[in-house]
Amino acid sequence: MKSPWKVLMVAPVLLLFSHSLASAVDQDQPGASSFNSHGCLGCVLVVSVIEQLAQVHNSTVQASMERLCSYLPEKLFLKTTCHFLVQIFGSDIIKLLDVHMNADVVCHALEFCKQDAGQSQCHLYPLPQEAWKFMLEKARKIIKKSPTMKYHRSGSSICSLPFLVKICQKIELSIKNAVPFKDVDSDKYSVFPTLRGYHWRGRDCNDSDKTAYPGRRPDNWDVHRDSNCNGIWGIDPKDGIPYEKKFCEGSQPRGIILLGDSAGAHFHIPPEWLTASQMSLNSFFNLPTALTDELNWPQLSGVTGFLESTSGVEETSIYHRLRKRNHCNHRDYQSISRNGASSQNLENFIGSLSRNQVLDHPAIVIYAMIGNDVCNGRADPVPEMTTPEQMYSKVMQTLKHLNSHLPNGSHVILYGLPDGTFLWDNLHNRYHPLGQLNKDVTYAQLFSFLSCLKISPCSGWMSSNKTLRTLTSERAEQLSKTLKKIATSKIFTNFKLFYMDFAYHEIIEEWQRRGGQPWQLIEPVDGFHPNEVASLLLADLFWKKIQFQWPQVLGKENPFNSQIEQVFGDQGGH
Ligand SMILES: *[C@@H]1O[C@H](CO)[C@@H](O)[C@H](O)[C@H]1NC(C)=O
Ligand SMILES: *[C@@H]1O[C@H](CO)[C@@H](O)[C@H](O)[C@H]1NC(C)=O
Ligand SMILES: *[C@@H]1O[C@H](CO)[C@@H](O)[C@H](O)[C@H]1NC(C)=O
Ligand SMILES: *[C@@H]1O[C@H](CO)[C@@H](O)[C@H](O)[C@H]1NC(C)=O
């Protein structure tokens, strides 16, 4: 017997995956309809992979589904869930794929995808209108007597299966709150990597002591304990001077804090998850970690990343550089970023920023809401875009909050918005990872599928409509100007304020100088986010500009760095 809990874990696989893919940017979609849309997207992705696995291995659809399940890890019930999904929908999918229906037709026949009255059907693969009608009718006949469909037909998604309703609601709620599976105290430093743990802010060094955490000024020079978790503590036996005093006093330590969106948190779906030709037992090993980090990889991001990048570029994150500059900064990073974050909703989670004005070191805060103020999934995105007036008022509110929470001597840098027209320009006629095997899915098709489902991360820029793309860029530029105006005219007592352009064209030029192509800087699966290489190049550009224009932001180079290494090694790692 399968326990109900395991049964109910069906939803996370389909939902977390597809939901996060599309809602990385806009989480404020109306509940029910976006829920259905994500079911449709999830279905089309999964059925496409099943179909392509069968093609690559010249196997039956049954064998291909089993293969896919066998690749999934046991963790989070992923494998169990997969087998269960096969039990529910497998026989229908086999019947349909065996007569060469494509994933769009299969998912419409299974009623994961629905056509709203008066709307065109949403499809990923090209198919002439007449052929479409004929295929869909044929498909419906084939699975007419399917027992699953009897349940399924009564509602509109997998979640209308009676035994799934409740858990679906729970899961949707937890996705909305962006903390799947478990409630976590977001103010707390953690010894656990995911679920907003040390992938997001410096690892705690004593879980049972609330007064010890990264970024605080040392307590009694950390004679007896490492109160700021930077790995430096105790007394030098040679002269009786506390190490923290000897190595860090006057070194101007500071932390790095990002107020960001999915780009800052490094939203990333590995293309291996969708590429049938390269899929193996290793492809999904990182899926549980990614799901419990909301499909973000802050540990590899350009601002707060602390792991070595495997992307092949030698640039490192801003945190890395601050730590290299002054080892006393070890572990002092916070990524306060959310999928879907914008100037307008930052107030909902800025409270999780942790800095004590009296006890802690100053911080460098990077404000980088780079897309969601102009990006949304609406058919006509323009009325939903943030206006310069709305921007002004919310950013001032944010800065007031920061002024009352940051220690004196901090710095705040406002990032402008990029011009996203390079997305369409560089991607529209290229093949998406799902389309590479049969040369049948371009980014233009993916973008129009997502827009049709009303779950595009950015229907303004990910659009074939040039007028709309230009309008989106114009608004982005107005909003950047608003930020710049604030930075050049407002003064705050506890921090200095700067503005920096989000100069995507500069990193594209740099990448081209190295022989690269612009499309190689964009996340391949979502066709929207800057990828790891782009984030690191941006970090490099940021660092160089700051060093050149405002070097005081970065603090001094610590002359004791090598001595710290001698005594404390890697300072306890990350
Ligand atoms: C695929 O499998 C079928 C049936 O097992 C076989 O007849 C066919 O030759 C195979 N094709 C390739 C290209 O291996
Ligand atoms: C952690 O903090 C507790 C409470 O202050 C203390 O008793 C314990 O010794 C500390 N552990 C370490 C490893 O410092
Ligand atoms: C903040 O620090 C500056 C020097 O960095 C000092 O001039 C100013 O008085 C301080 N402000 C407060 C409120 O302590
Ligand atoms: C393109 O977008 C503009 C601005 O939203 C809109 O007015 C126009 O109707 C769109 N054109 C087409 C062909 O959809």
Side-chain angles (χ1 to χ4, degrees), residues 205-206 208-209 225:
C205 51
N206 187 343
S208 50
D209 183 353
R225 58 170 193 148

Side-chain angles (χ1 to χ4, degrees), residues 169-309:
Q169 287 167 351
K170 258 193 201 160
I171 286 164
E172 194 179 13
L173 198 72
S174 69
I175 291 170
K176 278 223 178 93
N177 296 333
V179 185
F181 308 126
K182 193 182 136 185
D183 289 326
V184 286
D185 175 357
S186 57
D187 280 327
K188 200 169 167 262
Y189 293 87
S190 170
V191 292
F192 193 68
T194 62
L195 296 167
R196 298 267 158 189
Y198 66 76
H199 281 169
W200 299 83
R201 61 179 104 204
R203 187 155 65 90
D204 201 353
C205 51
N206 187 343
D207 214 16
S208 50
D209 183 353
K210 273 198 173 4
T211 67
Y213 54 86
R216 66 163 288 170
R217 295 175 194 275
D219 168 30
N220 187 26
W221 292 116
D222 281 4
V223 167
H224 300 295
R225 58 170 193 148
D226 186 11
S227 69
N228 54 15
C229 299
N230 67 0
I232 301 168
W233 66 290
I235 295 172
D236 186 344
K238 287 200 240 49
D239 50 22
I241 302 176
Y243 283 117
E244 179 88 34
K245 183 173 170 64
K246 189 183 244 183
F247 294 153
C248 300
E249 186 176 26
S251 76
Q252 305 180 337
R254 60 201 60 205
I256 178 83
I257 299 176
L258 172 70
L259 299 175
D261 50 26
S262 53
H266 188 19
F267 185 89
H268 166 66
I269 296 177
E272 303 87 72
W273 295 355
L274 294 180
T275 313
S277 60
Q278 287 156 34
M279 214 173 261
S280 72
L281 270 177
N282 300 325
S283 302
F284 294 99
F285 80 95
N286 48 16
L287 180 59
T289 303
L291 287 178
T292 42
D293 273 336
E294 303 145 45
L295 293 180
N296 294 308
W297 309 67
Q299 69 276 28
L300 291 166
S301 66
V303 176
T304 62
F306 58 89
L307 294 182
E308 293 291 334
S309 169

